[in-house]
Amino acid sequence: TVPSDIVPNVTILSLNFNDINEIRQMDFNWKYTNLEELYVKANQLAVVEEGSFNGTVLKKAIFGGNSLEYVPDFCAVRETIEEIGLSNNKIKVVSPKNITCLKSLKKFFIKENPLSTLPDLMIILPSLHRLEINSVPLRCDCEVAWMKDFRGIFKIDTSPCHSPRSMEGIEWSNITKSQLCGESILLYFTIHVI
């Protein structure tokens, strides 16, 4: 669990390399009103209760190397949160409902997760200018075509496509939006015609 002997006026808190498996509302809500940066890397973190950061001014939350299967709820700090690091977790899906409130988010690190797709983050997160999705086994289809238009700092593997088979091994720089969307249309058409 999160230690209870943290000084109330803390601004940067590192809880890395512990055995923290859950963050509860009572761990942070209204306790640390100056808290701007929270590091909970390399723990056993699997659960972050909804609404756990009320009363903080969290700008940066780094939860890499844990067991999270979803993007935690940061809506309580939607006005201040600028950077979220969730690399090397067990996240399979990034649900738009979990991140739509994060209009101030500038940096999103979600590499080394078993994701296969991402919603259009350019629409959902209008302030986003850095996205890292290295080591993510992408399904390269029309759902990820928005990534070809991303103009910020974008880190992705040279050949990120793990499916469909026809896209495997092709370098991202050589893939066009029409190839991504054309493959989906062709698959849809083939399935429904046969």
Side-chain angles (χ1 to χ4, degrees):
T1 62
V2 174
S4 58
D5 59 347
I6 300 166
V7 294
N9 62 346
V10 65
T11 57
I12 299 172
L13 180 59
S14 176
L15 299 172
N16 297 338
F17 304 102
N18 285 291
D19 290 322
I20 297 169
N21 59 14
E22 124 181 90
I23 291 177
R24 299 164 301 171
Q25 288 182 3
M26 63 186 277
D27 293 329
F28 289 96
N29 281 358
W30 305 105
K31 285 178 146 181
Y32 311 109
T33 56
N34 297 322
L35 184 62
E36 294 182 8
E37 296 183 21
L38 177 60
Y39 300 87
V40 189
K41 295 188 329 188
N43 280 272
Q44 305 298 319
L45 188 62
V47 175
V48 177
E49 279 185 11
E50 196 169 315
S52 287
F53 304 106
N54 280 308
T56 70
V57 288
L58 208 54
K59 291 181 181 179
K60 185 176 192 177
I62 307 297
F63 295 172
N66 284 293
S67 298
L68 290 169
E69 294 184 2
Y70 58 91
V71 176
D73 173 25
F74 289 104
C75 289
V77 289
R78 68 178 150 269
E79 302 296 324
T80 58
I81 193 79
E82 295 178 354
E83 181 176 339
I84 296 174
L86 299 171
S87 299
N88 195 18
N89 274 281
K90 297 177 180 179
I91 299 169
K92 293 181 182 175
V93 175
V94 174
S95 171
K97 76 176 188 93
N98 290 11
I99 60 173
T100 300
C101 63
L102 305 177
K103 302 300 183 195
S104 300
L105 191 66
K106 295 177 181 172
K107 299 176 184 176
F108 193 33
F109 304 98
I110 196 151
K111 62 186 180 182
E112 298 173 12
N113 276 287
L115 290 165
S116 62
T117 192
L118 280 172
D120 189 337
L121 298 180
M122 290 185 351
I123 292 172
I124 299 168
L125 304 172
S127 298
L128 190 67
H129 70 81
R130 183 174 183 141
L131 175 63
E132 290 191 13
I133 59 166
N134 314 58
S135 299
V136 168
L138 281 182
R139 183 182 68 240
C140 290
D141 59 16
C142 214
E143 270 191 75
V144 299
W146 65 269
M147 292 182 199
K148 296 303 288 184
D149 293 328
F150 189 72
R151 296 291 173 237
I153 299 167
F154 183 53
K155 294 195 177 179
I156 190 169
D157 294 335
T158 305
S159 303
C161 301
H162 285 240
S163 68
R165 190 170 293 232
S166 61
M167 300 293 265
E168 288 178 18
I170 300 175
E171 289 189 17
W172 183 252
S173 60
N174 293 331
I175 297 173
T176 64
K177 281 178 72 173
S178 61
Q179 283 175 302
L180 292 168
C181 291
E183 182 71 28
S184 295
I185 293 166
L186 180 61
L187 286 173
Y188 177 81
F189 184 73
T190 303
I191 290 167
H192 285 85
V193 169
I194 294 175

